[in-house]
């Protein structure tokens, strides 16, 4: 009988509802690793006690132990911490989390720690008990974080915001350097080969194992799609790259789509929509806000639009869209780090007119668009299912444990 390992996962936000890219990644990782025989304990920072209660109930049904910490209960400490660390780190530095994690380690209930995003590594730094017990630590790099923050800052029109993001990106880079030059991390994982390449170029001193595990999704290829004219855009709508992309689509692409397809409807699906989106007054546009599941929206759409120009890492929304077998029209940034290519599985263009023409073609059930959607789903099944990806992750973790 195979040994069951005890895995602690540290996440910077709640993982349920799994309605953003980062949440989907961590939720599915812990769900499948639990199925592959790991005893999983989640430690995460949440925004409210209500959010924690909902998450804890769902994870308990999956056999996952959940430890949630409300960061709004530590506002004073967070403010003090920003003098020592970038805000993304300071707001995740939690004394109680460290104590609870340390107690489990002392009780020999942790064999390996998976840290999601560098900012959560603050909670395992300077813990002597980790080295004493020879606990292995893996750091999952969803993006090259400081680069992503810097890129996001450049998308703002407000000069003050641009300066703040540039400053925070600089602080984050110095913080990350401290981690990478320490002996803290026993292995690194990345969601794209591009991120791994950049990381190794910037940190040639790293000799511990580094592996790429793409973002995945569950297969929804059997979902029945209604024959309508709906267009869907999915993402966290407080995230600046998503806001930028949606506004570009609405202002430059959507008028051409509506002219050709007057009955078409645009669904912008995602939590925390910004004021610039909620202010849109157009009867053909629906801003959903937080939803429990995106599945009904994919089922009621003819085509997925992924207009994005900045940010980093593999776009969860692309993998998810391919899992539903729908036509996809995206920009070059939308396919970065994946094997999806223009006119082979998806349409890739930054030209607003071409973008609109391909959206209309998909609405009209153009055969080429349907063929591309089929090819995209076939590539998804071959390379991007969560079950296959997490099996590889499990093997990697076991190799570190010896």
């Amino acid at each position: 009988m195979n040994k069951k390992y005890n895995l602690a996962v540290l996440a910077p936000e709640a993982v349920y509802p799994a309605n953003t890219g980062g949440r989907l990644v961590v939720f599915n990782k812990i769900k499948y690793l639990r199925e592959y025989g790991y005893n999983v304990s989640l430690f995460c920072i949440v925004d409210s006690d209500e959010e924690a209660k909902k998450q804890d109930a769902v994870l308990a049904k999956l056999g996952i132990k959940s430890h949630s910490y409300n960061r709004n209960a530590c506002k004073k400490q967070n403010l003090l911490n920003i003098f020592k660390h970038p805000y993304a780190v300071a707001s995740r530095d939690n004394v109680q989390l460290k104590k609870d994690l340390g107690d489990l380690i002392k009780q020999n209930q942790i064999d390996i720690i998976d840290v999601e995003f560098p900012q959560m590594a603050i909670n395992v730094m300077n813990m002597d008990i980790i080295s004493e017990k020879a606990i292995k630590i893996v750091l999952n790099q969803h993006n090259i974080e400081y680069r992503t923050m810097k890129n996001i800052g450049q998308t703002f029109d407000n000069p003050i915001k641009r300066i703040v993001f540039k400053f925070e990106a600089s602080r984050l880079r110095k913080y990350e350097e401290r981690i990478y030059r320490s002996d803290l991390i026993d292995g690194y994982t990345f969601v794209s080969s591009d991120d791994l390449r950049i990381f190794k170029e910037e940190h040639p001193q790293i000799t511990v194992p580094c592996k790429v595990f793409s973002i995945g999704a569950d297969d929804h290829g059997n979902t029945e799609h209604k024959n309508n004219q709906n267009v869907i855009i999915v993402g966290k709508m407080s995230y600046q790259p998503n806001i930028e992309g949606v506004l570009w689509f609405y202002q430059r692409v959507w008028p051409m789509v509506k002219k050709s397809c007057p009955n078409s409807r645009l669904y912008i699906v995602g939590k925390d929509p910004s004021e610039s989106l909620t202010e849109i007054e157009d009867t053909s546009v629906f801003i959903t806000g937080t939803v429990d599941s995106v599945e009904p929206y994919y089922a009621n759409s003819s085509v997925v639009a992924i207009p994005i120009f900045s940010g980093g890492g593999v776009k969860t929304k692309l993998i998810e869209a391919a899992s539903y077998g729908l036509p996809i029209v995206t920009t070059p940034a939308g396919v970065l780090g994946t094997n999806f290519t223009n006119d082979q599985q998806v349409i890739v263009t930054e030209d607003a007119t071409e973008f609109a023409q391909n959206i209309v073609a998909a609405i009209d059930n153009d055969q080429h668009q349907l063929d591309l959607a089929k090819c995209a789903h076939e590539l998804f099944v071959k390379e991007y299912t969560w079950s296959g990806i997490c099996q590889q992750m499990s093997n990697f973790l076991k190799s570190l444990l010896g």
Side-chain angles (χ1 to χ4, degrees):
M1 182 176 178
N2 292 333
K3 177 182 176 181
K4 272 201 169 188
Y5 291 106
N6 299 310
L7 171 67
V9 177
L10 275 57
E13 64 175 342
V15 304
Y16 186 87
N19 51 16
T20 67
R23 291 182 178 214
L24 281 164
V25 169
V26 184
F27 179 79
N28 282 286
K29 173 187 282 189
I30 62 179
K31 182 177 75 171
Y32 278 100
L33 288 177
R34 175 75 176 88
E35 292 180 9
Y36 290 138
Y38 289 81
N39 295 317
V40 181
S41 296
L42 174 70
F43 295 79
C44 71
I45 308 300
V46 298
D47 291 327
S48 70
D49 293 339
E50 182 181 354
E51 183 178 56
K53 185 177 180 181
K54 182 184 289 188
Q55 172 180 266
D56 293 352
V58 170
L59 295 183
K61 292 179 181 178
L62 296 174
I64 296 169
K65 299 173 185 176
S66 181
H67 306 262
S68 301
Y69 306 88
N70 187 342
R71 65 174 168 180
N72 292 313
C74 308
K75 286 184 176 180
K76 184 177 180 180
Q77 185 60 47
N78 291 344
L79 288 173
L80 293 174
N81 284 344
I82 63 174
F83 293 102
K84 297 187 295 182
H85 308 296
Y87 178 75
V89 178
S91 60
R92 270 87 180 189
D93 185 0
N94 192 282
V95 174
Q96 188 60 47
L97 186 159
K98 295 174 188 176
K99 181 180 183 304
D100 293 343
L101 179 64
D103 287 344
L104 285 183
I105 293 173
K106 290 174 185 176
Q107 297 164 21
N108 297 316
Q109 294 185 37
I110 300 294
D111 298 307
I112 188 166
I113 300 171
D114 173 75
V115 178
E116 300 290 324
F117 296 89
Q119 50 263 46
M120 285 303 289
I122 192 68
N123 293 294
V124 292
M125 295 174 74
N126 303 317
M127 287 182 66
D128 294 337
I129 187 69
I130 289 177
S131 57
E132 289 171 10
K133 293 281 189 176
I135 306 297
K136 300 295 185 180
I137 299 179
V138 175
L139 177 55
N140 183 16
Q141 303 274 53
H142 290 239
N143 306 295
I144 303 296
E145 286 297 299
Y146 85 87
R147 282 175 170 256
T148 299
M149 181 173 286
K150 183 178 179 181
N151 290 340
I152 292 172
Q154 293 171 352
T155 67
F156 288 105
D157 293 329
N158 186 319
I160 295 177
K161 286 186 176 181
R162 291 170 72 99
I163 292 170
V164 169
F165 269 75
K166 184 178 180 179
F167 176 67
E168 283 294 289
S170 175
R171 296 182 75 200
L172 189 57
R173 182 174 189 176
K174 291 177 182 177
Y175 161 79
E176 290 180 24
E177 288 285 349
R178 283 175 53 206
I179 299 171
Y180 306 149
R181 294 189 179 279
S182 71
D183 295 324
L184 181 67
I185 309 301
D186 299 287
Y188 293 87
T189 62
F190 301 81
V191 299
S192 80
S193 55
D194 288 339
D195 284 346
L196 173 57
R197 175 183 54 77
I198 293 169
F199 182 80
K200 286 197 167 184
E201 287 174 356
E202 294 187 348
H203 307 286
Q205 80 280 2
I206 298 293
T207 58
V208 299
C210 298
K211 290 280 287 185
V212 175
F213 300 108
S214 178
I215 289 170
D218 290 325
D219 188 3
H220 300 96
N222 293 326
T223 300
E224 183 179 348
H225 297 283
K226 296 181 180 178
N227 187 19
N228 57 36
Q229 299 187 17
N230 293 344
V231 181
I232 183 176
I233 300 177
V234 178
K236 184 177 181 180
M237 293 304 161
S238 59
Y239 183 52
Q240 183 60 26
N242 287 340
I243 298 169
E244 176 192 33
V246 170
L247 290 176
W248 174 84
F249 181 88
Y250 175 68
Q251 293 164 0
R252 300 190 56 190
V253 178
W254 189 238
M256 290 184 277
V257 174
K258 284 205 300 180
K259 185 176 180 180
S260 297
C261 305
N263 294 323
S264 60
R265 299 290 181 267
L266 172 61
Y267 283 83
I268 299 170
V269 182
K271 64 177 294 193
D272 303 330
S274 69
E275 189 175 343
S276 59
L277 298 181
T278 57
E279 286 179 344
I280 293 175
E281 294 184 0
D282 187 328
T283 57
S284 69
V285 178
F286 298 85
I287 314 290
T288 69
T290 300
V291 297
D292 288 335
S293 172
V294 295
E295 186 169 346
Y297 295 92
Y298 280 111
N300 287 302
S301 298
S302 293
V303 57
V304 181
I306 307 177
I308 194 158
F309 300 90
S310 57
V314 174
K315 304 301 180 288
T316 306
K317 54 179 74 71
L318 171 68
I319 308 301
E320 188 174 62
S323 79
Y324 282 92
L326 283 168
I328 301 166
V329 185
T330 183
T331 49
V335 295
L336 285 178
T338 75
N339 290 326
F340 291 87
T341 55
N342 182 41
D343 215 31
Q344 296 297 313
Q345 298 89 17
V346 298
I347 294 295
V348 181
T349 179
E350 286 186 326
D351 182 84
T353 301
E354 288 183 6
F355 208 110
Q357 289 171 344
N358 282 282
I359 292 288
V360 171
I363 290 173
D364 290 340
N365 290 317
D366 173 78
Q367 189 58 50
H368 183 54
Q369 288 286 345
L370 296 176
D371 290 343
L372 290 179
K374 182 180 178 182
C375 290
H377 183 258
E378 288 173 352
L379 179 60
F380 160 77
V381 171
K382 181 181 178 182
E383 299 185 17
Y384 296 101
T385 63
W386 272 126
S387 57
I389 290 168
C390 289
Q391 179 65 71
Q392 296 172 38
M393 286 184 186
S394 174
N395 294 339
F396 177 69
L397 295 178
K398 288 177 181 177
S399 71
L400 295 178
L401 289 163

